[in-house]
Amino acid sequence: MTLIKNDVNVEARAIEAKKASKKLIILSKEEKNQALLHLADVLEREYETILAANEKDLANGREKGFTDAFMDRLSLSKERIAEFAQGLREVAELEDPTGQVISDWTLENDLQVQKVTVPLGVIGMIYEARPNVTVDATGLALKSGNAIVLKGGSSAINSNQAIVEVMHRGLEGTKIPKEAVQFIASTDRAATNELFTMKEHIDVLIPRGGGKLIQAVVENATVPVLETGVGNCHIYVDKDADVEKAISILVNAKTDRPAVCNAAETLVVHKDWLAAHSDELIAALKENHINVHGDERALEVIPGAVLAGEEDWKNEYLSTDIAVKVVDNLTDAITHIETYGTKHSEAIVTENSEAAEKFMALVDAAAIYHNASTRFTDGGALGFGAEIGISTQKLHARGPMGLPALTTVKFLMKGTGQIR
Amino acid sequence: MTLIKNDVNVEARAIEAKKASKKLIILSKEEKNQALLHLADVLEREYETILAANEKDLANGREKGFTDAFMDRLSLSKERIAEFAQGLREVAELEDPTGQVISDWTLENDLQVQKVTVPLGVIGMIYEARPNVTVDATGLALKSGNAIVLKGGSSAINSNQAIVEVMHRGLEGTKIPKEAVQFIASTDRAATNELFTMKEHIDVLIPRGGGKLIQAVVENATVPVLETGVGNCHIYVDKDADVEKAISILVNAKTDRPAVCNAAETLVVHKDWLAAHSDELIAALKENHINVHGDERALEVIPGAVLAGEEDWKNEYLSTDIAVKVVDNLTDAITHIETYGTKHSEAIVTENSEAAEKFMALVDAAAIYHNASTRFTDGGALGFGAEIGISTQKLHARGPMGLPALTTVKFLMKGTGQIR
């Protein structure tokens, strides 16, 4: 295995990706799919190479005292690598998002106009611990005819590098040039920063990871960014909320998988509902080991709650902690969500359809729920197939992003000498 | 009329726009259209107020010695203002781009999912001389349910301010609050820069003007940008180009309206075609007063041509000057376009369909033409109705942008207590 050095020529990697992207554009969907299937077989076959590299990352991680949860995300096994391969096979099955004619028409002068989907070109993927992103993102990029430049987190650098080396061997003998998958084998943050401004060679940056990583990319990149993932999601329990629905939705959204972005972080609750149903709420919070950080009115009602500050309203806990804000009315609930939400997923629980309609119209987020858990904001749950991430921005793609988010369009004009 | 001061509180203007945008979201299409029609009537009625302010800008312009072309773009008349009003009436006629259900389906658990188009929220419009943008952009923003913050160029500030004041009166008595149209009455560049980072209040920035303005916005803004307009467009005349088509397309693309972004700036010509048809080409260039900046091989053939440097390949002339690059083959033509093009509009003239297909597949631009003039990259020419601008970026919208570019989507999920 190659040693990790920090003198990677990032620009050279990006230029190679751009060149390879030109070769990808003209491949048929069959050629791309065959390459993906071959990639999957080779990954599965060469799992030992990957596990050996993963062992180094795990040893480094133990030395650095990483948490168990972190070590679990980092850790690979024969089975997990087989899952990666299976993921690639599923991507091969998906509809090709490129070459689709969105519209076509003929002008009065007989100029034929076609609007067709085409690959974006080169995707820059900047991500943290999980080595599965190396495979998943590569599969989605290649399927959609894009080259990819991968910059993973330093804690998984040996695993990621080994995965890329195996994938390069997997692309040999296929129509996809191995230069279409570039890996920045550097633990140096400056290497990441170089990607931020490489507009000439990289068409889009996709950061995946914590809020700080995403903020750094959004604030510093001149390359367009597909912003994903930070979800400070709220459950608003309205005056007219059904008690059973409210409690089951709250508990599900908070505790099913607390560390994911569509988990709830704040309960916004109408004062009258709280007054009427505090017993049921308190019992459910206790039973599910949910720790409450509440405003003063919440503290009066919920035993053991600690006083919430600005940070509690703003940040994701990604744990079984929850912030509780008591409001006088729907408008105050919406204002709180507008002030602190991240435009990801927001829910109202109510039997009052007027309140539900107002909430759904006025709250500005990718997904708005009436009487359901925020946990459904997910490409898999919605039936989109593989997911690049969940966009919390408004341009290009919003909400769960599948393969079409990795394409753009071209107008193709066929004439016989038309002038204006 | 209000005096122009440079102590505008830009953030306060943006916050007002954000508040107003919440009121716009819930208006019906009829309410928005009625407001636009009323706006049109009031603009037409109060043309004298606008002309008086325009006179001040013209006087300033004369003092500063602006060019005739610039003064012409700045100058308003009763007729031009009537055209602005007519433009608003045409926008009212267009289909409402919001509230459209793009897809809807029901999950196995009976959760109903709807993907619908909604306004972006607040549009920040940063533009140069032409005061018509003040009206056009406002009309498109309001029609699509967005509030707008206008920051026009200082040379038209009196005209723009008067137009906005008249529009504010035009919105009185309609359902659109006048706060939905905000004007930054400042000639201070710092006021523009403040808009760049106002992510909380502004959802998208649209710069319209020269390349420098657009670059400044793209490089400095953290608010998402819709990049428009710089067009360094090429006509590639292939070995197998028909002479008549080649010359008529070249002349049209270069001279029909040299100052627009879809005009041609460079002729890339195959050496064999040039050798065979230099007489016809030279005659056409001469007849149409086109000045040639050529590479060395072009200079050998075209009398009076001056030697082209890097700047000639890179920049828009926006005049009847043209750069001429002689190439050995299609691949070199594509490489030249990739190196210097701005991904706007690129054309190939050839009778060879294989060459045409290769060019159309490999050249990366919003619009690619085979045997037609680049001048058709235009919302009007393509039948899109009003146009926000021509996007040269790949994300969100590419090519001529109509009203749909001013919308995003929301996933609306209606449940009966579904949890995951």
Side-chain angles (χ1 to χ4, degrees):
Chain A
M1 248 201 53
T2 326
L3 275 169
I4 306 302
K5 295 182 212 137
N6 277 335
D7 59 352
V8 180
N9 186 333
V10 178
E11 191 176 16
R13 299 275 76 76
I15 289 172
E16 278 200 11
K18 192 62 161 186
K19 268 191 205 158
S21 76
K22 307 289 176 190
K23 293 176 185 160
L24 274 168
I25 287 177
I26 50 174
L27 297 186
S28 70
K29 61 181 177 192
E30 289 77 17
E31 288 168 331
K32 289 184 285 183
N33 290 340
Q34 276 163 14
L36 287 174
L37 295 177
H38 193 248
L39 206 55
D41 292 344
V42 174
L43 261 180
E44 213 160 23
R45 194 190 311 144
E46 300 199 15
Y47 74 92
E48 284 174 329
T49 311
I50 298 169
L51 291 186
N54 185 238
E55 202 37 67
K56 290 188 200 172
D57 288 329
L58 293 172
N60 288 338
R62 275 187 294 268
E63 207 168 288
K64 289 185 180 148
F66 288 152
T67 64
D68 288 352
F70 191 95
M71 292 296 280
D72 177 59
R73 289 201 291 276
L74 190 55
S75 164
L76 297 177
S77 63
K78 187 180 177 185
E79 291 66 35
R80 280 181 106 157
I81 294 167
E83 280 168 27
F84 299 172
Q86 197 46 38
L88 289 176
R89 291 182 190 114
E90 281 163 21
V91 167
E93 292 285 314
L94 293 174
E95 191 181 2
D96 194 308
T98 67
Q100 300 196 350
V101 179
I102 293 175
S103 51
D104 71 63
W105 68 101
T106 304
L107 302 190
E108 277 180 18
N109 63 9
D110 286 333
L111 184 70
Q112 292 174 42
V113 182
Q114 263 196 338
K115 188 177 178 183
V116 298
T117 58
V118 296
L120 284 170
V122 177
I123 293 164
M125 193 84 197
I126 300 173
Y127 54 106
E128 287 175 339
R130 299 173 187 263
N132 65 305
V133 176
T134 310
V135 181
D136 294 352
T138 299
L140 294 166
L142 298 179
K143 171 78 184 191
S144 52
N146 294 289
I148 189 164
V149 178
L150 296 156
K151 174 70 184 76
S154 40
S155 54
I157 191 162
N158 292 290
S159 312
N160 289 334
Q161 168 117 339
I163 291 171
V164 171
E165 285 170 2
V166 170
M167 292 199 295
H168 280 168
R169 283 194 288 279
L171 289 174
E172 275 166 24
T174 77
K175 295 280 182 176
I176 296 182
K178 73 181 197 326
E179 290 77 15
V181 183
Q182 295 290 335
F183 181 67
I184 308 295
S186 168
T187 54
D188 190 353
R189 187 168 290 253
T192 310
N193 296 353
E194 275 191 72
L195 294 173
F196 289 175
T197 54
M198 239 167 243
K199 273 196 93 161
E200 230 177 299
H201 316 305
I202 298 180
D203 293 285
V204 64
L205 289 176
I206 307 180
R208 275 190 76 169
K212 276 185 194 163
L213 170 73
I214 293 169
Q215 267 319 97
V217 178
V218 169
E219 281 170 16
N220 297 303
T222 54
V223 176
V225 177
L226 283 182
E227 202 174 332
T228 65
V230 177
N232 185 16
C233 307
H234 300 75
I235 307 288
Y236 169 54
V237 174
D238 187 42
K239 179 162 60 78
D240 301 317
D242 175 87
V243 182
E244 273 181 43
K245 285 180 193 164
I247 285 178
S248 105
I249 288 170
L250 174 68
V251 170
N252 178 260
K254 180 68 265 180
T255 66
D256 180 41
R257 281 187 69 190
V260 297
C261 62
N262 59 24
E265 303 293 352
T266 300
L267 165 67
V268 180
V269 59
H270 192 287
K271 64 177 172 36
D272 297 347
W273 189 93
L274 183 63
H277 305 291
S278 57
D279 290 351
E280 294 97 321
L281 178 67
I282 292 164
L285 293 168
K286 195 173 170 194
E287 191 188 334
N288 292 283
H289 312 287
I290 300 172
N291 309 314
V292 171
H293 308 245
D295 65 3
E296 287 179 2
R297 288 201 278 180
L299 261 56
E300 284 170 17
V301 179
I302 303 169
V306 296
L307 189 64
E310 194 67 8
E311 288 303 301
D312 291 280
W313 310 128
K314 249 181 167 165
N315 295 333
E316 292 180 285
Y317 292 114
L318 303 172
S319 68
T320 51
D321 289 53
I322 197 163
V324 178
K325 168 85 185 171
V326 182
V327 295
D328 291 332
N329 52 50
L330 176 59
T331 303
D332 289 356
I334 293 175
T335 302
H336 181 89
I337 293 171
E338 285 290 332
T339 309
Y340 298 105
T342 53
K343 299 184 164 59
H344 190 298
S345 299
E346 308 293 355
I348 181 171
V349 186
T350 187
E351 298 303 305
N352 178 332
S353 60
E354 209 180 304
E357 272 170 36
K358 193 172 171 192
F359 186 90
M360 294 184 103
L362 289 182
V363 172
D364 184 17
I368 328 268
Y369 292 82
H370 175 207
N371 286 346
S373 167
T374 51
R375 291 274 297 117
F376 293 100
T377 308
D378 174 278
L382 293 177
F384 291 0
E387 178 182 283
I388 317 293
I390 295 172
S391 162
T392 51
Q393 68 189 23
K394 293 185 180 183
L395 297 190
H396 190 65
R398 198 179 202 197
M401 293 186 286
L403 286 168
L406 298 183
T407 68
T408 181
V409 294
K410 244 185 193 180
F411 288 89
L412 299 178
M413 324 292 231
K414 294 180 187 164
T416 51
Q418 280 82 349
I419 59 171
R420 206 170 159 191
Chain B
M1 247 201 52
T2 326
L3 275 168
I4 307 303
K5 294 182 215 142
N6 277 334
D7 59 352
V8 180
N9 186 333
V10 178
E11 192 176 15
R13 299 274 77 75
I15 290 172
E16 278 200 9
K18 193 62 162 187
K19 268 192 208 160
S21 76
K22 307 287 175 191
K23 293 178 185 158
L24 275 168
I25 287 176
I26 49 173
L27 297 185
S28 70
K29 61 182 177 193
E30 289 76 17
E31 288 167 331
K32 289 184 285 183
N33 289 341
Q34 277 163 12
L36 287 174
L37 295 176
H38 193 248
L39 205 55
D41 293 343
V42 173
L43 261 180
E44 214 161 20
R45 193 189 311 145
E46 300 199 17
Y47 74 93
E48 285 173 329
T49 310
I50 298 169
L51 291 185
N54 186 236
E55 202 37 66
K56 291 188 200 171
D57 288 329
L58 292 172
N60 287 339
R62 276 187 293 270
E63 207 168 286
K64 288 184 180 149
F66 288 153
T67 64
D68 287 353
F70 191 94
M71 291 296 281
D72 176 59
R73 289 201 292 275
L74 190 54
S75 166
L76 296 177
S77 64
K78 186 178 176 185
E79 291 68 35
R80 282 182 103 157
I81 293 166
E83 281 168 26
F84 298 173
Q86 197 46 38
L88 289 176
R89 292 182 189 114
E90 282 164 20
V91 168
E93 292 285 314
L94 293 173
E95 190 181 2
D96 194 308
T98 66
Q100 299 194 352
V101 179
I102 293 174
S103 51
D104 72 62
W105 68 101
T106 303
L107 302 189
E108 277 179 19
N109 63 8
D110 287 332
L111 183 69
Q112 291 173 44
V113 183
Q114 263 197 337
K115 188 178 177 182
V116 298
T117 59
V118 296
L120 284 170
V122 178
I123 293 165
M125 193 83 196
I126 300 173
Y127 54 106
E128 287 174 341
R130 300 173 187 263
N132 66 304
V133 176
T134 311
V135 182
D136 295 351
T138 299
L140 294 166
L142 298 180
K143 171 77 183 189
S144 51
N146 293 290
I148 189 164
V149 177
L150 296 155
K151 173 69 185 73
S154 39
S155 54
I157 191 163
N158 292 290
S159 313
N160 289 335
Q161 169 118 340
I163 291 170
V164 171
E165 285 171 1
V166 171
M167 291 199 296
H168 280 168
R169 283 195 288 278
L171 289 174
E172 274 165 25
T174 77
K175 295 280 182 176
I176 296 182
K178 73 180 199 322
E179 290 77 14
V181 183
Q182 294 290 336
F183 180 68
I184 308 295
S186 168
T187 54
D188 190 352
R189 187 166 292 252
T192 309
N193 295 354
E194 273 190 72
L195 294 172
F196 290 174
T197 52
M198 237 167 243
K199 272 196 93 162
E200 228 176 301
H201 315 305
I202 298 180
D203 294 285
V204 64
L205 288 176
I206 307 180
R208 275 190 76 170
K212 277 185 193 164
L213 170 72
I214 294 168
Q215 267 319 97
V217 178
V218 169
E219 281 170 15
N220 297 304
T222 53
V223 176
V225 177
L226 283 182
E227 201 174 333
T228 66
V230 178
N232 185 17
C233 306
H234 300 74
I235 307 289
Y236 169 54
V237 174
D238 186 42
K239 180 161 59 76
D240 301 316
D242 175 85
V243 183
E244 274 181 44
K245 285 179 194 163
I247 286 179
S248 103
I249 288 169
L250 174 68
V251 170
N252 178 261
K254 180 69 263 182
T255 67
D256 179 42
R257 281 187 70 191
V260 296
C261 62
N262 59 23
E265 303 293 351
T266 299
L267 165 66
V268 180
V269 58
H270 193 286
K271 66 177 171 30
D272 297 347
W273 189 93
L274 183 62
H277 305 291
S278 57
D279 290 352
E280 294 96 322
L281 177 67
I282 291 163
L285 293 169
K286 196 174 167 193
E287 192 188 334
N288 292 282
H289 312 287
I290 299 171
N291 309 314
V292 171
H293 308 244
D295 65 2
E296 286 179 1
R297 287 199 280 180
L299 260 56
E300 285 169 17
V301 178
I302 303 170
V306 297
L307 188 64
E310 194 67 7
E311 288 303 299
D312 291 280
W313 309 128
K314 251 181 165 165
N315 295 333
E316 291 181 286
Y317 292 114
L318 302 173
S319 68
T320 53
D321 289 53
I322 196 163
V324 178
K325 170 84 184 173
V326 182
V327 294
D328 291 332
N329 51 50
L330 176 61
T331 304
D332 289 356
I334 294 174
T335 303
H336 181 87
I337 293 171
E338 286 290 331
T339 310
Y340 297 106
T342 54
K343 299 185 165 58
H344 190 296
S345 298
E346 309 292 356
I348 181 171
V349 186
T350 189
E351 297 303 305
N352 179 331
S353 60
E354 209 180 303
E357 272 170 36
K358 193 173 170 192
F359 185 90
M360 294 184 102
L362 289 182
V363 172
D364 184 16
I368 329 268
Y369 292 82
H370 174 207
N371 287 346
S373 168
T374 50
R375 290 274 296 116
F376 293 100
T377 309
D378 174 279
L382 294 178
F384 289 1
E387 179 181 282
I388 317 293
I390 295 172
S391 162
T392 51
Q393 69 189 22
K394 293 185 179 181
L395 297 191
H396 190 65
R398 197 180 202 196
M401 293 187 286
L403 287 168
L406 298 183
T407 68
T408 182
V409 294
K410 243 184 194 180
F411 288 89
L412 299 179
M413 325 291 231
K414 293 180 189 165
T416 50
Q418 280 83 349
I419 60 170
R420 205 171 160 193

